[in-house]
Amino acid sequence: MAATAKEVTPKTSPSSDLVSRYAPEESRKGADIIVEALEREGVKHVFAYPGEASVEIHQALTRSNVIRNVLPRHEQGGVFAAEGYARSSGLPGVCISTSGPGATNLVSGLADAMFDSIPLVAITGQVPQRMIGTGAFQETPIVEVTRSITKHNYFVLDVNDIPRIVSEAFFLATSGRPGPVLIDVPKDIQEQLAVPNWNQPFRLSGYMSRLPEEPSEAHLEQIVRLIFESKKPVLYVGGGCLNSSEELKRFAELTGIPVTCTLMGLGSFPTSDPLSLQMLGMYGTVYANYAVDKSDLLLSFGVRFDDHVTGKLEAFASRAKIVHIDIDSAEIGKNKQPHVSVHSDVKLALKGINRTLESKGAKLKLDYTAWWEELIEQKVKYPLTYKTFGEAIPPQYAVQLLYELTDGNVIISTGVGQHQMWAAQFYKYKRPRQWLTSGGFGAMGFGLPAAIGAAVANPGAVVVDIDGDGSFMMNVQELATIRVENLPIKILLLNNQHLGMVVQWEDRFCKANRADSYLGNPSNKSEVFPNMLKFAEACEIPAARITKKEDLREAICKMLETPGPYFLDVIIPHQEHVLPIIPRGGAFKDVITEEVNKNKAHQEEGIGYRRKLKQDINPRVYFHGNVFGCPWKDCMEKLVLLFDAVDVLMRGSLLGEGDEASPLLRAPFVASFSSRGPNPGSGNLLKGSKVTPAYEAVARPALVLQVKMLFILNVIRYLQCYLSSLTLLLAIYDNLAKPMSSTVNNDAEFAYGASYLNLATTENPGLVYDFDKMSCTISMPWRPHLVGTKSINGSSMLPRFGYDAPTDPSMQPQHEKRQTVNCRFFKRRVPSIGPPSMNNAIPLRLFTYPLQNRSFKAAKFAFHIKEEFIAKLPLTMAATTANTPLLKPSPLASSAKSSIPISKSVLHFRTIPRKLTTPRSLSVSSSLSQSNSTPGSTASAVTPTKAPTHDFISRYAPDEPRKGADILVEVLEREGVKDVFAYPGGASLEIHQALTRSKLIRNVLPRHEQGGVFAAEGYARSSGLPGVCIATSGPGATNLVSGLADAMIDSIPLVAITGQVPRRMIGTDAFQETPIVEVTRSITKHNYLVLDIDDIPRIVSEAFFLATSGRPGPVLIDIPKDIQQQLAVPNWNQPLRLSGYMSRLPKEPNESLLEQIVRLVFESKKPVLYVGGGCLNSNEELKRFVEHTGIPVTTTLMGLGSFPSPDPLSLQMLGMHGTVYANYAVDNSDLLLAFGVRFDDRVTGKLEAFASRAKIVHIDIDSAEIGKNKQPHVSVCSDVKLALKGINKILESKGAKVKLDYSAWRNELNEQKVKYPLNYKTFGEAIPPQYAIQVLDELTDGNAIISTGVGQHQMWAAQFYKYKKPRQWLTSGGLGAMGFGLPAAIGAAVANPGSVVVDIDGDGSFMMNVQELATIRVENLPIKILLLNNQHLGMVVQWEDRFYKANRAHTYLGNPSDESDIFPNMLKFAEACGIPAARVTKKEDLRQAIQKMLETPGPYLLDVIVPHQEHVLPMIPGGGAFKDVITDGDGRTKY
């Protein structure tokens, strides 16, 4: 904070009755100051998961008599529980985690709290200050990561600032618009001693000045006046009203205005109140949405006007004057411009309004009887209902029953999905803070941990988690927390074996094509999988399953009556849809209310679907069809028009299906029949917007070649003549989504005929185009812009012109303002094609929208139609066309002044028509996208180093348009991708649909996005190929953060693809919108936000090149949904735009430097090779170098396998838990050859003491690592493989001259090997964990692929398993991410079919991603899980034993009420997923048990119970030197 900042005294004083356990002037640790500051803020509960960087805080918490820690089983569970605490109590929630993965696991919860305005304080440990920026173990720039998803964050650099910073954090979190605040505290600050000053003033003068004041009386009077003038007012309230429910009820009593709530506002006004219209928005009641649509006054209190409420912004409350009261000035006018706005606390504003109303007394005469009668009629007509089918349980009925049996008095938490919407619709909320859900962010996995927080905050209250199976599985490990804390949480699981909301979208919009939305076991769909009852049983929670409706009431009664927690698994049909629904971006008129068809997949039928807007796609116009030689219906199914609007075309009455004919298709029929059928202008053929008998009688039998011809040729003529205005295309677009207007004088009308176009406006009705001239005045609200031409296969030139969609909310009017553009006259002749001219026009409405100060861009382009189109014409017609010159529109003298581009259209026809043979496709496309200009025009294009696969055969024709999602999938195929790890969601649904169309790529469906990214890492680590993971926007993207940070620090090639909200919604706080590019900027090698569909091939190619070249790392690609849905013809030959990056890539190593290294080797007496993960690709060269020199080799944790551990020259691992002899060798060496390493803190310890006697040679591909932590004497920035080849070549050239004798040095090291071997002690029948790994090594002959979690088991696996080859050892090295082992094993098994893959895991780490057992079973992966179960967080316990006098601070993971019991029962987790499992407790039984595990086909879990007193030895304490090494002792010894 700047020194000049004005100091502000806190508004709230510390708790006056708090008695400190320290004397006023007594020094205490920074961690104790943090805890006391929390106590002074009134904190009673925290949700904290321990780790190395936060162990001091946990120790301090054990010294507090005020604060209780509720130990979650995953940091994400902790932050969601803290949210549940805050949402249900109104008090700020507090969560605490360690650095690295502990901090990154909070990201989804912080983003969720930011979205939903939840007061939250998150405290993270950080590495000591001296290590920041060194790439230290578990170092993550969490302040940078969370900057865009927190209200504020702090990095503590002075222990004396802790009291002020904590107080400011709570003030910021709770004042103004609430939100999350993060405090990052380095470990040395926690350990530092100080005397705290509790009376420091705030330094928040800028923030304080922006807080809202008392609302203006004049504004309140204006609002009251509007109320009195209104005839149809509606009160629209959101989460900002939760603290003003009493004032809200008083206002409703005084006025009698109907009230509707947002999802977040449920409970702020009683749902059962007669004045309540319940929820509005996408899944709101019809009558709530009707009220808003018809209202003349919308009183918006504490709302955001988010997209799930408003839909199409310009249609939302379009008749109403809008009053907006909100505490956040940034929300006022952001999405919807109000007529009256008040920046104030809603509570204060309502008090003022009520006071004004009450002051009027007898004058208060508000009569809304007529309005209420209208709304009641809608309530009766469209109630919230559902149907029952046989014995199946309707999920809505389950929620209704719960409401009846609890009288609406329980606290409800939910995950995200269909169950969330049913809980919102069918449970009647009586009071605020009774409803807990992830609203704007939509975080699956929220419900269960949020219920924990609510139960902790509200002891004695009944808390019910209404959850879905997909959402529940994401944090299923929190069942253990519920049992240990004995929280009375009831879990009502609505289990449909699917991702229900995704299934609904698939049914509605994807023709029921299932794309990774089935969560059961495909090999046995009759079975309920996984068995949720076994998950509950594993955590000793009573559970039952119900499948019949008649048994449901009794089952829910039993659930509510059972003391403590209870789990009820309710099996429901997956065909159920949440209704009503307004398609995203739609308006009230697009509401869908019809019930689901149980007997067949629900298809896009009926007017509701034909009207649905294609709002999520930036418009492109394509005509592509095999128009001759096939029935008209088949032809139309191949016609891709306006980004896949073929369903809109095909499902109308044109084919005799029912109500309305498509306006686009009427015109060709009218043009065809005008000379020999009823006059279309008389109304007896096409009357209004309905199909008439004349239409049926005349149009249907006439589906003949002439009609097809006219349709196509009319389209061509439009493109030829009118591209300068784009008007017809836009008109067609509008009318695809809207019924034909029966009104004549609308904004614009045109006659669609074979011979002429009449485009007239109400202002200029006489301007008519015929054979001689064309003139019009067009209202242009969108921004047309030409962006040059595009070459396809080096010949055809397709135009690229763009405009923003008329349905794009980002382009919608705040005020009625239009831009008028004049088209000039020009003369031209066209061939006479088709029947005589029409004399009557078919009126179609052309909808217009304002420009919003968007400027035009002008350019020229050529329009080309492929020559083979002529072959599709009848011979006579083709001859006429070929012999008649088609003139271009003449250049106009005034074109230079035009605000729109003047197009030149060219039609190339053959002079000699070809004989009609096999029908070919017509490709006439106009691509609407943004400019493709290169950022930085001086940058040179770089040709990709990796050419597309030569034998790759696309499933599309070269010039065939396809969706952006299909382009994405095809470019993945071209990059050689065979497997992806993708979890579907709304913003990535198109990608999953495209994956189902791929025959090359297989998706392995994880059960959590974190499992997916870790699996992709395991794939990459074990194969050397880049791993690919895909997730949706919002929580899907943020759940990748830990994996991306892990891949970044460990240099793993990874490409992560995330969906994003449509471009027009970015920045509007749309549902599941997250700035993931900003979040991941500091933890990825590079990231992209795709803004042009034509960039997809280049960007994906660049991403793979970046991920795999130089120092590998993760690259993220964020793709908006409209880009995925847009159509384009991809250009696969775009050059990479990476000139700067390419110039920085290391070149061939300098020969003189290599000679210098060889000279140092010859001069050395005690050399040591210190190799890391950078040598995994150069193991053969490394072995050759060692053969030449005889130099002993030690490896880092990441370098294990790059040199065979059993080799006599191997010293195994060095560092904190490395062998004594490896560390001895480095300490005593005179030459340290550091190849592919980082000199990180876990290896070096005290930097100045590390290799202090040695000259250091450092070879690394990343120049940033050279000299960063340790200054080398000789450095080479190069690929280690190339450098070793060069060194070996020099050594081999010396031939017989090579006489290197290090036998004395090796003998010295052998003495150390004998003196300090890796060993362990045995105590009775207890199983030493080291012995378990030794036995595994023996039985697999060291050939298995080993993955691990993080902790003691990880170090023992590194020490006692002998790795023979690279990519055999998979672990989270630099980040230390618990939960890594199980999903990484999945990736390894997918990448290496037939290999033995063993996950050596610990119970704490295993629990973090235990849900991935379901993936293992479904994919039938032969993964063996060797679980070293000590019921503790073993590594933290070891630190407690060594440095904290064995004071246990939240490190026991079992059930304290019965410590003799193994809790949770891991065998039941395996059984839930159909995986064979066994437990072994005695050493004598271990070998046989491991043998059985290895011999059992498929997956297997072996639960090995080990003593928690075991320590990982040797050990050099953090920051220590070799002389500080610890070689003896365990938890049985007092220190």
Side-chain angles (χ1 to χ4, degrees):
M1 186 68 67
T4 57
K6 180 182 176 182
E7 296 182 337
V8 182
T9 305
K11 288 190 175 181
T12 56
S13 59
S15 302
S16 56
D17 57 349
L18 179 70
V19 179
S20 174
R21 55 187 177 278
Y22 296 95
E25 300 302 320
E26 184 180 355
S27 296
R28 64 211 76 173
K29 285 186 174 182
D32 289 289
I33 297 174
I34 290 172
V35 171
E36 186 168 340
L38 294 177
E39 293 173 345
R40 288 170 176 266
E41 291 294 334
V43 175
K44 303 296 184 185
H45 301 92
V46 297
F47 302 86
Y49 196 92
E52 181 182 359
S54 64
V55 67
E56 286 286 354
I57 299 175
H58 282 263
Q59 289 291 318
L61 284 170
T62 64
R63 295 188 282 271
S64 172
N65 297 322
V66 178
I67 298 177
R68 165 194 171 203
N69 179 40
V70 177
L71 177 67
R73 264 49 184 182
H74 191 294
E75 291 91 352
Q76 185 174 98
V79 68
F80 283 159
E83 273 200 84
Y85 185 97
R87 290 173 188 258
S88 64
S89 67
L91 302 172
V94 180
C95 59
I96 302 172
S97 74
T98 189
S99 61
T104 55
N105 283 342
L106 302 181
V107 168
S108 289
L110 293 172
D112 186 55
M114 185 68 176
F115 235 115
D116 287 351
S117 308
I118 306 302
L120 189 73
V121 175
I123 300 172
T124 56
Q126 184 55 276
V127 300
Q129 294 176 81
R130 68 180 182 279
M131 293 183 183
I132 293 171
T134 66
F137 177 69
Q138 290 191 334
E139 179 198 350
T140 300
I142 194 62
V143 167
E144 294 302 316
V145 169
T146 61
R147 193 179 301 282
S148 60
I149 54 170
T150 52
K151 190 173 179 181
H152 192 60
N153 53 25
Y154 292 92
F155 183 48
V156 181
L157 293 174
D158 187 340
V159 68
N160 295 308
D161 286 339
I162 290 176
R164 173 184 59 80
I165 285 175
V166 173
S167 292
E168 284 183 7
F170 276 82
F171 179 73
L172 287 166
T174 55
S175 62
R177 179 179 177 179
V181 179
L182 180 133
I183 308 173
D184 197 29
V185 191
K187 189 176 181 181
D188 56 334
I189 296 289
Q190 300 172 33
E191 295 170 327
Q192 202 172 330
L193 293 175
V195 177
N197 175 6
W198 300 111
N199 298 310
Q200 299 177 54
F202 286 177
R203 299 177 184 174
L204 298 172
S205 56
Y207 173 78
M208 298 285 286
S209 67
R210 293 191 300 272
L211 288 177
E213 306 296 336
E214 292 278 340
S216 161
E217 256 336 292
H219 279 132
L220 302 185
E221 285 281 358
Q222 189 178 358
I223 293 169
V224 171
R225 187 166 62 253
L226 287 173
I227 291 171
F228 274 82
E229 294 171 357
S230 171
K231 302 297 182 185
K232 296 182 176 183
V234 172
L235 189 52
Y236 156 40
V237 301
C241 292
L242 291 175
N243 292 330
S244 52
S245 57
E246 292 304 318
E247 291 76 12
L248 188 62
K249 283 190 277 188
R250 180 59 181 155
F251 175 80
E253 288 172 7
L254 290 170
T255 62
I257 295 176
V259 183
T260 182
C261 299
T262 66
L263 184 70
M264 290 302 300
L266 287 172
S268 55
F269 189 79
T271 312
S272 55
D273 191 287
L275 292 177
S276 174
L277 299 176
Q278 298 180 251
M279 186 174 69
L280 85 163
M282 178 179 281
Y283 298 105
T285 62
V286 172
Y287 37 92
N289 288 311
Y290 175 90
V292 171
D293 188 62
K294 302 297 182 184
S295 67
D296 60 5
L297 177 64
L298 186 67
L299 301 168
S300 311
F301 295 171
V303 297
R304 294 191 296 114
F305 289 92
D306 64 285
D307 65 305
H308 267 211
V309 167
T310 63
K312 187 177 181 181
L313 262 172
E314 73 276 11
F316 181 77
S318 57
R319 301 172 175 85
K321 292 180 179 177
I322 296 176
V323 173
H324 193 181
I325 302 177
D326 200 87
I327 201 166
D328 185 1
S329 59
E331 290 297 338
I332 296 175
K334 183 174 77 174
N335 294 338
K336 191 79 174 177
Q337 193 65 39
H339 296 76
V340 179
S341 64
V342 179
H343 176 212
S344 169
D345 185 343
V346 176
K347 190 184 188 84
L348 297 178
L350 276 170
K351 280 184 176 179
I353 293 172
N354 290 343
R355 190 167 53 247
T356 304
L357 290 170
E358 287 165 350
S359 68
K360 296 184 179 293
K363 299 177 183 178
L364 187 58
K365 294 180 181 179
L366 298 172
D367 184 9
Y368 301 125
T369 305
W371 177 224
W372 267 110
E373 287 175 354
E374 187 177 340
L375 295 180
I376 290 170
E377 183 181 338
Q378 291 295 313
K379 279 190 173 187
V380 172
K381 188 176 181 180
Y382 297 107
L384 280 176
T385 59
Y386 55 89
K387 292 181 180 178
T388 302
F389 294 86
E391 295 181 336
I393 301 174
Q396 306 92 327
Y397 175 65
V399 177
Q400 271 188 337
L401 264 184
L402 179 67
Y403 169 70
E404 291 175 22
L405 295 172
T406 59
D407 195 26
N409 288 316
V410 302
I411 296 173
I412 301 292
S413 73
T414 76
V416 170
Q418 287 181 311
H419 65 277
Q420 175 192 32
M421 294 301 116
W422 288 320
Q425 290 175 338
F426 289 91
Y427 199 92
K428 306 293 185 270
Y429 300 92
K430 295 183 174 181
R431 61 184 187 277
R433 309 200 177 282
Q434 190 187 351
W435 162 250
L436 319 176
T437 197
S438 177
F441 194 60
M444 290 181 68
F446 176 85
L448 193 62
I452 292 173
V456 170
N458 301 272
V462 178
V463 180
V464 179
D465 171 31
I466 300 177
D467 227 324
D469 47 320
S471 196
F472 173 76
M473 279 287 284
M474 284 204 164
N475 277 307
V476 67
Q477 70 280 347
E478 299 308 328
L479 288 173
T481 304
I482 292 173
R483 176 71 283 167
V484 166
E485 298 291 336
N486 197 30
L487 300 173
I489 294 171
K490 316 299 180 182
I491 302 160
L492 183 67
L493 188 70
L494 303 180
N495 189 346
N496 65 4
Q497 297 283 282
H498 289 72
L499 289 172
M501 196 60 85
V502 177
V503 166
Q504 179 166 334
W505 296 328
E506 290 171 341
D507 287 345
R508 296 275 175 181
F509 310 123
C510 304
K511 302 181 183 178
N513 179 41
R514 294 288 174 261
D516 311 312
S517 55
Y518 178 58
L519 298 178
N521 190 346
S523 63
N524 185 9
K525 291 192 175 183
S526 62
E527 174 192 34
V528 176
F529 177 89
N531 189 339
M532 302 296 186
L533 304 186
K534 295 297 180 182
F535 282 127
E537 190 177 341
C539 297
E540 301 172 7
I541 293 176
R545 174 175 294 152
I546 192 78
T547 60
K548 296 181 180 179
K549 183 182 177 184
E550 61 187 20
D551 302 328
L552 184 61
R553 181 180 293 271
E554 183 181 349
I556 293 179
C557 285
K558 183 179 179 182
M559 175 186 77
L560 295 170
E561 292 168 357
T562 302
Y566 192 93
F567 181 92
L568 182 59
D569 189 16
V570 181
I571 308 303
I572 62 172
H574 72 271
Q575 297 93 340
E576 286 291 340
H577 286 193
V578 180
L579 294 173
I581 176 177
I582 297 175
R584 194 172 188 180
F588 172 65
K589 67 182 180 60
D590 305 305
V591 67
I592 300 167
T593 59
E594 69 268 26
E595 292 295 334
V596 180
N597 185 342
K598 302 280 185 178
N599 300 319
K600 68 174 185 177
H602 200 73
Q603 300 295 320
E604 292 183 332
E605 297 177 2
I607 185 172
Y609 295 116
R610 282 185 281 106
R611 286 183 181 176
K612 74 181 176 63
L613 303 179
K614 300 289 185 178
Q615 76 288 344
D616 280 349
I617 313 165
N618 197 26
R620 288 174 167 262
V621 182
Y622 289 96
F623 298 90
H624 178 85
N626 198 6
V627 290
F628 296 106
C630 61
W632 174 260
K633 181 176 180 180
D634 294 339
C635 161
M636 292 307 299
E637 285 177 344
K638 294 178 182 179
L639 178 66
V640 181
L641 178 59
L642 290 176
F643 34 85
D644 201 26
V646 65
D647 287 325
V648 181
L649 296 174
M650 287 304 301
R651 302 194 182 280
S653 58
L654 176 67
L655 302 177
E657 296 295 334
D659 38 48
E660 291 194 3
S662 167
L664 176 68
L665 297 182
R666 300 180 203 205
F669 287 115
V670 173
S672 176
F673 305 135
S674 60
S675 62
R676 53 192 173 88
N679 188 333
S682 64
N684 59 345
L685 178 63
L686 293 176
K687 182 179 181 181
S689 60
K690 295 295 182 181
V691 177
T692 63
Y695 179 86
E696 291 284 81
V698 178
R700 180 182 296 281
L703 297 176
V704 292
L705 182 62
Q706 183 186 15
V707 176
K708 298 180 237 177
M709 271 294 304
L710 286 169
F711 179 78
I712 297 300
L713 293 180
N714 278 332
V715 165
I716 293 171
R717 178 181 287 169
Y718 295 153
L719 294 177
Q720 178 194 358
C721 300
Y722 307 119
L723 277 176
S724 59
S725 68
L726 308 182
T727 308
L728 270 176
L729 303 183
L730 301 176
I732 291 171
Y733 170 81
D734 264 289
N735 285 281
L736 279 175
K738 301 174 179 67
M740 182 170 150
S741 171
S742 57
T743 308
V744 174
N745 292 318
N746 287 310
D747 291 331
E749 304 161 14
F750 69 83
Y752 187 134
S755 299
Y756 71 92
L757 175 76
N758 174 13
L759 182 57
T761 65
T762 52
E763 294 82 8
N764 298 279
L767 299 179
V768 177
Y769 163 74
D770 57 24
F771 285 120
D772 296 315
K773 69 178 183 178
M774 187 273 287
S775 176
C776 62
T777 301
I778 308 166
S779 185
M780 295 287 289
W782 44 85
R783 56 171 178 177
H785 54 273
L786 298 177
V787 290
T789 59
K790 179 179 176 182
S791 175
I792 302 295
N793 298 328
S795 57
S796 300
M797 301 299 290
L798 295 177
R800 299 182 60 253
F801 62 95
Y803 66 94
D804 292 293
T807 53
D808 186 343
S810 69
M811 300 294 295
Q812 300 311 329
Q814 301 297 344
H815 306 286
E816 286 299 322
K817 179 183 176 183
R818 300 188 178 187
Q819 171 118 1
T820 298
V821 182
N822 291 315
C823 297
R824 269 71 49 200
F825 291 82
F826 60 89
K827 293 181 179 294
R828 57 158 295 122
R829 286 286 174 184
V830 294
S832 179
I833 301 177
S837 302
M838 284 171 42
N839 298 316
N840 296 283
I842 300 176
L844 294 176
R845 184 171 183 175
L846 176 63
F847 292 85
T848 57
Y849 305 91
L851 263 172
Q852 288 192 335
N853 300 320
R854 306 260 182 149
S855 61
F856 289 109
K857 298 179 182 179
K860 295 181 180 179
F861 67 93
F863 190 79
H864 175 70
I865 297 178
K866 297 184 69 175
E867 292 183 1
E868 53 260 42
F869 171 72
I870 198 72
K872 301 181 187 303
L873 307 181
L875 295 183
T876 55
M877 196 72 74
T880 302
T881 304
N883 294 324
T884 305
L886 297 178
L887 305 179
K888 304 174 185 178
S890 303
L892 304 176
S894 59
S895 62
K897 302 178 182 179
S898 174
S899 60
I900 62 170
I902 302 301
S903 64
K904 294 184 178 181
S905 50
V906 182
L907 296 176
H908 296 292
F909 286 158
R910 293 174 64 92
T911 55
I912 302 175
R914 289 176 292 186
K915 185 176 181 180
L916 182 62
T917 55
T918 306
R920 304 183 188 183
S921 62
L922 162 68
S923 295
V924 181
S925 63
S926 54
S927 167
L928 309 179
S929 62
Q930 296 184 356
S931 175
N932 202 25
S933 59
T934 308
S937 57
T938 58
S940 61
V942 181
T943 304
T945 57
K946 179 181 177 181
T949 309
H950 291 295
D951 57 353
F952 180 81
I953 301 175
S954 175
R955 58 187 177 276
Y956 296 94
D959 291 342
E960 183 178 357
R962 63 212 75 173
K963 285 187 176 183
D966 289 291
I967 296 174
L968 172 67
V969 170
E970 183 166 336
V971 73
L972 292 177
E973 294 172 342
R974 288 170 179 264
E975 290 292 336
V977 174
K978 302 297 182 186
D979 303 282
V980 298
F981 303 87
Y983 196 92
S988 64
L989 183 65
E990 287 288 350
I991 300 174
H992 283 262
Q993 289 291 318
L995 284 170
T996 65
R997 295 188 281 271
S998 172
K999 296 180 180 179
L1000 300 180
I1001 297 179
R1002 161 197 178 195
N1003 180 37
V1004 178
L1005 177 68
R1007 265 50 184 181
H1008 192 295
E1009 290 91 353
Q1010 185 174 99
V1013 67
F1014 284 158
E1017 273 201 85
Y1019 186 98
R1021 290 173 188 258
S1022 64
S1023 67
L1025 301 172
V1028 179
C1029 58
I1030 302 173
T1032 189
S1033 62
T1038 54
N1039 283 342
L1040 302 180
V1041 166
S1042 291
L1044 294 172
D1046 187 55
M1048 184 66 176
I1049 202 166
D1050 282 354
S1051 307
I1052 307 302
L1054 190 73
V1055 175
I1057 299 168
T1058 55
Q1060 183 56 276
V1061 299
R1063 286 171 294 176
R1064 67 180 180 279
M1065 293 184 181
I1066 293 174
T1068 66
D1069 288 339
F1071 178 68
Q1072 292 191 331
E1073 179 199 349
T1074 300
I1076 194 62
V1077 167
E1078 295 304 317
V1079 169
T1080 61
R1081 194 178 299 282
S1082 60
I1083 55 170
T1084 51
K1085 190 173 178 182
H1086 192 59
N1087 54 25
Y1088 293 90
L1089 174 62
V1090 181
L1091 293 175
D1092 187 338
I1093 188 173
D1094 295 318
D1095 287 339
I1096 290 177
R1098 174 184 59 81
I1099 284 175
V1100 176
S1101 294
E1102 285 181 8
F1104 277 84
F1105 181 74
L1106 288 165
T1108 55
S1109 61
R1111 179 180 177 178
V1115 178
L1116 180 133
I1117 307 173
D1118 197 28
I1119 310 180
K1121 188 173 181 180
D1122 59 328
I1123 294 286
Q1124 299 170 34
Q1125 293 172 316
Q1126 220 174 317
L1127 291 174
V1129 177
N1131 177 5
W1132 303 115
N1133 300 312
Q1134 300 178 54
L1136 304 186
R1137 299 179 184 171
L1138 298 172
S1139 55
Y1141 173 78
M1142 298 286 285
S1143 67
R1144 293 191 300 273
L1145 286 177
K1147 307 296 186 281
E1148 291 278 341
N1150 188 307
E1151 185 126 359
S1152 62
L1153 289 174
L1154 302 184
E1155 288 278 3
Q1156 191 177 350
I1157 294 169
V1158 171
R1159 187 166 63 251
L1160 288 173
V1161 169
F1162 273 81
E1163 294 171 357
S1164 171
K1165 302 297 182 185
K1166 295 182 176 182
V1168 172
L1169 259 170
Y1170 155 41
V1171 301
C1175 291
L1176 290 175
N1177 292 329
S1178 53
N1179 61 306
E1180 292 301 324
E1181 291 76 12
L1182 181 64
K1183 284 191 283 186
R1184 186 70 179 146
F1185 174 77
V1186 174
E1187 287 172 9
H1188 284 311
T1189 61
I1191 297 175
V1193 183
T1194 181
T1195 62
T1196 65
L1197 183 70
M1198 290 300 298
L1200 286 173
S1202 55
F1203 189 79
S1205 299
D1207 192 288
L1209 288 175
S1210 173
L1211 301 175
Q1212 296 181 256
M1213 186 174 70
L1214 83 164
M1216 176 179 280
H1217 294 294
T1219 62
V1220 172
Y1221 38 92
N1223 288 313
Y1224 174 91
V1226 171
D1227 190 60
N1228 289 278
S1229 67
D1230 61 3
L1231 177 64
L1232 186 67
L1233 300 169
F1235 293 172
V1237 296
R1238 295 191 295 112
F1239 289 91
D1240 67 285
D1241 67 306
R1242 278 301 199 261
V1243 166
T1244 63
K1246 190 176 181 180
L1247 263 172
E1248 58 270 25
F1250 181 77
S1252 56
R1253 302 172 177 85
K1255 293 179 180 178
I1256 297 175
V1257 173
H1258 193 182
I1259 302 178
D1260 200 88
I1261 202 166
D1262 185 1
S1263 59
E1265 291 295 342
I1266 295 174
K1268 184 176 78 173
N1269 296 337
K1270 192 79 175 177
Q1271 195 63 42
H1273 295 78
V1274 179
S1275 64
V1276 179
C1277 181
S1278 169
D1279 186 341
V1280 176
K1281 188 182 188 84
L1282 297 178
L1284 277 171
K1285 279 184 177 180
I1287 293 171
N1288 289 339
K1289 185 177 180 181
I1290 294 171
L1291 290 170
E1292 288 163 357
S1293 68
K1294 295 182 180 294
K1297 298 178 184 177
V1298 178
K1299 294 179 181 178
L1300 298 172
D1301 184 10
Y1302 301 126
S1303 56
W1305 174 229
R1306 288 195 295 268
N1307 290 335
E1308 183 180 343
L1309 297 180
N1310 287 335
E1311 288 178 13
Q1312 292 294 315
K1313 284 187 176 183
V1314 173
K1315 188 176 180 179
Y1316 297 106
L1318 284 174
N1319 59 16
Y1320 53 88
K1321 294 179 181 178
T1322 301
F1323 294 87
E1325 294 182 336
I1327 301 174
Q1330 305 93 327
Y1331 173 68
I1333 295 169
Q1334 275 187 334
V1335 171
L1336 179 67
D1337 178 55
E1338 293 173 18
L1339 295 177
T1340 60
D1341 194 26
N1343 289 316
I1345 296 174
I1346 302 295
S1347 72
T1348 76
V1350 171
Q1352 287 181 311
H1353 68 277
Q1354 176 192 30
M1355 294 299 109
W1356 288 320
Q1359 291 175 337
F1360 289 92
Y1361 198 93
K1362 303 295 182 272
Y1363 301 94
K1364 295 181 178 179
K1365 55 185 185 291
R1367 309 201 175 282
Q1368 191 185 350
W1369 162 250
L1370 319 176
T1371 197
S1372 176
L1375 191 73
M1378 290 180 69
F1380 175 85
L1382 192 62
I1386 292 173
V1390 170
N1392 301 272
S1395 298
V1396 177
V1397 180
V1398 181
D1399 171 31
I1400 300 176
D1401 228 324
D1403 49 319
S1405 196
F1406 175 75
M1407 279 288 285
M1408 283 204 166
N1409 276 309
V1410 69
Q1411 74 281 345
E1412 299 309 326
L1413 288 173
T1415 304
I1416 292 173
R1417 175 70 283 168
V1418 166
E1419 299 292 336
N1420 197 29
L1421 300 173
I1423 294 171
K1424 316 301 179 183
I1425 303 161
L1426 184 67
L1427 189 65
L1428 303 180
N1429 189 347
N1430 65 4
Q1431 298 282 281
H1432 288 73
L1433 289 172
M1435 193 61 85
V1436 185
V1437 165
Q1438 179 168 332
W1439 296 327
E1440 289 172 341
D1441 288 342
R1442 294 281 176 177
F1443 311 121
Y1444 299 100
K1445 300 180 180 179
N1447 179 42
R1448 296 288 176 261
H1450 319 123
T1451 51
Y1452 178 57
L1453 298 179
N1455 191 345
S1457 63
D1458 186 6
E1459 294 193 13
S1460 62
D1461 185 31
I1462 302 299
F1463 178 89
N1465 189 336
M1466 301 299 185
L1467 305 186
K1468 294 295 182 183
F1469 280 118
E1471 188 180 346
C1473 296
I1475 294 176
R1479 176 177 292 153
V1480 61
T1481 59
K1482 296 180 180 180
K1483 183 180 178 183
E1484 62 187 21
D1485 301 329
L1486 182 63
R1487 183 176 292 272
Q1488 184 179 353
I1490 293 178
Q1491 186 70 50
K1492 182 181 178 182
M1493 175 187 77
L1494 294 171
E1495 292 173 352
T1496 302
Y1500 193 97
L1501 185 144
L1502 182 61
D1503 190 16
V1504 182
I1505 308 303
V1506 300
H1508 71 271
Q1509 296 92 341
E1510 286 293 332
H1511 285 189
V1512 179
L1513 296 173
M1515 176 183 179
I1516 298 176
F1522 173 64
K1523 65 183 178 60
D1524 304 311
V1525 66
I1526 299 169
T1527 60
D1528 197 20
D1530 56 26
R1532 303 172 183 88
T1533 308
K1534 291 186 178 180
Y1535 302 95

